[in-house]
Amino acid sequence: MIIIKNLEQIALMRSAGHLLYDVLQYLAGQVRPGITTEDVNRIADEMIRKHGAIPTELGYAGYPKSICASIDDEVVHGIPSPNVRLEEGQILSMDLTLSLNGWQADSCLTVPVGEISQKKKDLIRVTEECFWTGYHQAVNGNRIGDISSAVQRYAESRGYGVVRDLTGHGIGREMHEDPSVPNFGTAGHGPRLRPGMTICIEPMITAGTWKVHELADGWTIVTNDHQPASHYEHTVVITKEGDPEILTLPDGGKGRQLL
Ligand code: MF3
Ligand code: CO
Ligand code: CO
């Protein structure tokens, strides 16, 4: 069941989203060779709690940490560890969900560790462009499949892989609500988008095959060919007219539309 939010509820989600933006920006500034993913986890956990919010990934389906920190061929759900020290040339995706006053926000950023290859720069850029391509389809009257097919076509026509085992999702009081928002699919299909729907658009794009598997830790998803992957996510609300508002950007996305 898709839960439409009213203006008051959207305002609460906006507050959660803007806090999450600040946390992610702060973390991005801390990422450098030599820091461990446990360090990043601790900084995030402390900052979230200091602002009266809850890191809702901690304990979600038994997940053991407050953030997901996925390096290179790790697509999503990398578990922070004091044994994982970031190295120059890697890319790190930081996927965070928090709740503030009972309302969730979910966003992910992939950042370079020091200097990275042109190939990894291109992968990060194309993944963000995939998001914006889907974002422009997330308008009143369109369908979920319009987002999905736009993302898929953008990535695949440029030779990139689109991960299928995981999808975007609705969000609200719960981290994961209906509908599912796949990054692949058919235009004109799926649930219709209506004002007040709050969804996470989160392309997971690979430099090689789209096929992935789970590691023995029961969480970390890696690419089968061990080519790098990138992930970019925002929480958005469908509006009456025009592009959605991005709840996890301070300006709602205005002036940030790259395409
Ligand atoms: N933030 C993730 C998402 O985009 C969910 C993380 S799974 C968890 O849906 F187990 F870490 F919570
Ligand atoms: Co997320
Ligand atoms: Co999400």
Side-chain angles (χ1 to χ4, degrees):
M1 186 195 49
I2 295 172
I3 304 168
I4 300 288
K5 280 75 179 182
N6 64 32
L7 283 176
E8 212 171 307
Q9 295 168 328
I10 291 163
L12 289 165
M13 290 184 69
R14 187 181 291 120
S15 298
H18 291 186
L19 172 60
L20 179 50
Y21 172 81
D22 288 344
V23 173
L24 269 174
Q25 289 302 118
Y26 185 75
L27 294 180
Q30 298 300 308
V31 169
R32 61 178 67 91
I35 191 173
T36 70
T37 51
E38 175 64 26
D39 294 330
V40 182
N41 181 79
R42 191 194 61 251
I43 295 165
D45 185 276
E46 288 174 2
M47 186 168 173
I48 290 166
R49 294 181 195 279
K50 194 179 86 187
H51 288 86
I54 299 166
T56 40
E57 288 180 349
L58 180 63
Y60 181 87
Y63 186 71
K65 294 287 175 176
S66 299
I67 74 167
C68 295
S70 310
I71 299 169
D72 288 347
D73 66 341
E74 299 173 351
V75 184
V76 289
H77 304 168
I79 304 173
S81 163
N83 302 320
V84 177
R85 212 166 274 287
L86 295 177
E87 294 169 18
E88 180 102 20
Q90 293 178 329
I91 56 174
L92 172 70
S93 92
M94 301 182 289
D95 185 6
L96 275 71
T97 309
L98 61 74
S99 79
L100 181 64
N101 299 314
W103 292 89
Q104 309 269 344
D106 182 6
S107 184
C108 175
L109 205 56
T110 299
V111 298
V113 182
E115 270 306 308
I116 61 169
S117 65
Q118 189 59 46
K119 176 179 160 178
K120 287 180 175 176
K121 285 180 191 167
D122 291 343
L123 173 63
I124 290 174
R125 177 181 48 80
V126 167
T127 304
E128 294 184 5
E129 288 169 356
C130 280
F131 168 84
W132 291 104
T133 304
Y135 162 85
H136 290 305
Q137 293 297 321
V139 298
N140 187 6
N142 270 8
R143 292 181 185 269
I144 290 290
D146 296 318
I147 301 173
S148 306
S149 74
V151 170
Q152 180 179 18
R153 265 186 296 142
Y154 194 92
E156 290 182 350
S157 66
R158 286 161 180 77
Y160 292 87
V162 176
V163 173
R164 299 175 182 227
D165 300 47
L166 302 120
T167 68
H169 49 89
I171 184 169
R173 287 190 194 274
E174 303 294 333
M175 179 194 302
H176 294 144
E177 297 183 355
D178 287 339
S180 175
V181 185
N183 296 303
F184 60 95
T186 312
H189 285 243
R192 205 175 281 283
L193 301 170
R194 289 299 181 208
M197 276 177 66
T198 44
I199 60 173
C200 291
I201 302 173
E202 50 179 311
M204 289 155 266
I205 305 298
T206 69
T209 180
W210 57 267
K211 293 190 177 153
V212 299
H213 63 277
E214 190 180 276
L215 295 186
D217 64 15
W219 282 103
T220 313
I221 305 289
V222 302
T223 55
N224 282 3
D225 60 6
H226 299 293
Q227 291 282 317
S230 178
H231 183 195
Y232 188 70
E233 172 176 28
H234 281 298
T235 299
V236 313
V237 56
I238 311 302
T239 50
K240 233 184 229 160
E241 286 184 340
D243 289 336
E245 177 183 343
I246 302 183
L247 298 173
T248 43
L249 281 180
D251 64 358
K254 303 278 178 280
R256 295 285 295 259
Q257 300 164 22
L258 302 184
L259 296 176

